[in-house]
Amino acid sequence: MSSSTQFPPLKGDASLLLAYQLHSKRVLLIGGGPVAASRLTHALEADALVTLLCPSSGLCPELLYRLSDPWCKSRITYHDRPWLGTEDLDLDGGADMVLSATDDPGVSKSVCVAARSRRVPVNVADVPEECDFHFGSTIRDGPLQVLVSTGGRGPKVANLIRRRLERALPEKCGMAIDRVGELRRRLRARAPGREEGKKRMHWMVGICEAWELEDLAELEEGDIEVLLRDGWEKGKVLSPKDLGKVGKGKEKVDNGLNWRREGIAGLLGAVVGAAVVGLAVFVRSSR
Amino acid sequence: MSSSTQFPPLKGDASLLLAYQLHSKRVLLIGGGPVAASRLTHALEADALVTLLCPSSGLCPELLYRLSDPWCKSRITYHDRPWLGTEDLDLDGGADMVLSATDDPGVSKSVCVAARSRRVPVNVADVPEECDFHFGSTIRDGPLQVLVSTGGRGPKVANLIRRRLERALPEKCGMAIDRVGELRRRLRARAPGREEGKKRMHWMVGICEAWELEDLAELEEGDIEVLLRDGWEKGKVLSPKDLGKVGKGKEKVDNGLNWRREGIAGLLGAVVGAAVVGLAVFVRSSR
């Protein structure tokens, strides 16, 4: 499409991956089955306010359970009736996002047309062409979230890939994010000036390059103090070693070689080899 | 927040991760620096139509380059002027998404207020509270896209994690998605009935469980034919072994043990051990 030595060529046909913020936004959810329940979960975890539209006869056990839970209930406005038309977009102050999860193609179509007429982002389960966005396979570890998307092309393969990535994630990634956040906060408190912004950013990048995730996750209050006092103040980026730490991360990363394992195997081999030859000589000489 | 043995408790404070579809949607982009250039790249790769608003004096080299490229140019409507106000949301047919990347806090604020008054999703670079969504650190391999998000809490750590995940991804993940897509298409052509939908889904899940990503990536036309003819038709899920394949994936996955490596180390050790004892005996007996 375009090429330059300086700027990378563009590859079209992608989705735009986003971390949508729904805090105190309103999501209109139409439907009552397991897919609707899964959508509700996603919306509530993102701190959305939810308007749920479904005749009570169509509510699945999970939705009934969520509606009986005090915390969930406080975030859900439930209407015991089906979708009636465009004016439902105005319910409870108006929808910022619309999720349809019904089996009725007529309802799906009507919901999609209504939402698009107002440019409100809409997802209709199982109907790609009626979706302004897709959900994918996700991982969550506290503040860390990972989305694996195949642009709706292969949900099962997305799950396979998600599982592979899950195994590769260090155990305490979420914790690492929290600790780095704390370091940044403390740095800002120590050097708050706007003119120091670039220097702060540079130093934080340096830390993230010198430390592996496993080590960042173990940053304690005292370590942060040392990093700032003996590092930042002296224009230095201290490493885990400088802080007398083993540096767990690095070892694990070096592309999977495991010298200790191979060393033991070699040693065992040597002993066996020696024993065999020794035995042969012994047997021979004692004949 | 809520708990049940049957349904998982909810953990709030998350983002809603989405794969947004921008094909032939219009993105309004305000700004001309490197951040604006990066936003433009994302929008164009997602096949969006872009309205770019920036005085020509403020265009960075990358934007100038993109505007000179025929393919990009055909997707960008460029207005050589600054943001004027809410009515700019109607430019070129109206914006479905607004991205602001200027250094001017007044402009940022005005763009955000305007977009929110119409419920058009907006992102203002570097101002979290003026963002309806965040970008994160991403990986792309053809149809595969991965987003690493810290909810705006730590872009540098997100990059660290992204690099770690990148190393863990099998080389041909995108290819695996394509091949599975092809298998699904061929299966649908062979058993198109709606009543067979569940059976088809079941079988595809079985394939994705029996095959590793590395093996799926190598699925050739002939293999697909065999999978369908000797597998699907007989109600069976064939494995890579059934097709006379080595099954590369499985070997690689088994949690990093590398028997061949250790075997060679052991063998070498045995030879060395044998040689040492042999030499000792030889030296002793020739004295």
Side-chain angles (χ1 to χ4, degrees), chain B residues 113-162:
Chain B
V113 168
R116 288 195 171 155
S117 73
R118 304 243 195 123
R119 294 184 196 265
V120 179
V122 61
N123 173 285
V124 175
D126 284 330
V127 191
E129 61 276 17
E130 292 178 356
C131 288
D132 293 333
F133 54 87
H134 298 298
F135 296 96
S137 199
T138 56
I139 304 172
R140 182 167 183 205
D141 176 7
L144 172 69
Q145 292 182 266
V146 177
L147 172 70
V148 178
S149 166
T150 58
R153 283 179 195 83
K156 275 105 208 159
V157 192
N159 275 332
L160 274 187
I161 297 169
R162 193 245 312 143

Side-chain angles (χ1 to χ4, degrees), chain A:
Chain A
M1 296 173 183
S2 65
S3 72
S4 156
T5 45
Q6 200 181 353
F7 304 112
L10 302 181
K11 287 167 284 176
D13 203 23
S15 305
L16 187 68
L17 301 196
L18 300 177
Y20 220 83
Q21 306 303 300
L22 285 178
H23 190 83
S24 75
K25 296 261 176 79
R26 184 154 294 272
V27 172
L28 172 62
L29 174 59
I30 299 120
V35 176
S38 153
R39 300 292 192 248
L40 178 75
T41 300
H42 281 120
L44 289 178
E45 293 209 318
D47 297 335
L49 299 168
V50 178
T51 293
L52 177 62
L53 214 54
C54 180
S56 56
S57 61
L59 293 172
C60 70
E62 183 171 352
L63 280 178
L64 286 170
Y65 167 70
R66 299 288 181 210
L67 280 169
S68 72
D69 175 90
W71 185 81
C72 291
K73 210 174 155 183
S74 73
R75 326 269 313 167
I76 306 172
T77 310
Y78 172 54
H79 301 261
D80 180 1
R81 64 167 178 82
W83 162 264
L84 294 178
T86 310
E87 61 282 8
D88 281 348
L89 295 178
D90 298 319
L91 280 171
D92 310 321
D96 297 288
M97 175 176 280
V98 179
L99 307 176
S100 176
T102 75
D103 283 336
D104 185 330
V107 169
S108 293
K109 183 95 199 156
S110 161
V111 170
C112 175
V113 169
R116 287 194 171 157
S117 74
R118 303 245 193 120
R119 294 183 196 266
V120 179
V122 61
N123 173 286
V124 176
D126 284 329
V127 191
E129 59 276 18
E130 292 179 354
C131 288
D132 294 333
F133 54 87
H134 298 298
F135 295 96
S137 199
T138 56
I139 304 171
R140 182 167 182 205
D141 176 7
L144 171 70
Q145 292 181 268
V146 177
L147 173 70
V148 178
S149 166
T150 58
R153 282 178 195 85
K156 275 106 207 159
V157 192
N159 275 332
L160 274 186
I161 297 171
R162 194 245 312 143
R163 287 209 297 264
R164 189 73 71 92
L165 294 182
E166 223 159 18
R167 271 181 274 164
L169 268 182
E171 250 177 64
K172 296 176 182 172
C173 258
M175 184 67 86
I177 294 168
D178 280 338
R179 300 317 294 157
V180 171
E182 178 62 20
L183 175 61
R184 195 169 46 180
R185 262 188 301 281
R186 298 270 293 275
L187 173 60
R188 264 204 203 130
R190 189 182 274 257
R194 219 188 143 166
E195 66 285 357
E196 293 201 272
K198 271 212 170 142
K199 201 182 146 202
R200 278 199 309 263
M201 207 179 79
H202 234 78
W203 189 77
M204 286 301 300
V205 170
I207 291 285
C208 286
E209 274 164 10
W211 290 62
E212 286 292 336
L213 290 162
E214 288 83 348
D215 301 317
L216 290 171
E218 307 282 342
L219 265 184
E220 285 169 27
E221 289 301 303
D223 303 328
I224 290 182
E225 194 49 41
V226 174
L227 279 177
L228 292 171
R229 192 191 57 208
D230 299 346
W232 166 262
E233 295 292 348
K234 295 172 184 168
K236 281 192 296 188
V237 170
L238 301 180
S239 71
K241 264 193 188 159
D242 294 329
L243 265 72
K245 293 183 175 271
V246 188
K248 296 178 208 172
K250 287 290 184 197
E251 189 186 333
K252 204 169 161 188
V253 178
D254 277 335
N255 64 30
L257 286 188
N258 198 328
W259 294 110
R260 196 186 304 168
R261 240 196 156 89
E262 286 153 38
I264 291 173
L267 218 65
L268 272 175
V271 169
V272 169
V276 167
V277 172
L279 194 70
V281 170
F282 172 77
V283 168
R284 215 174 160 220
S285 64
S286 60
R287 252 196 267 172

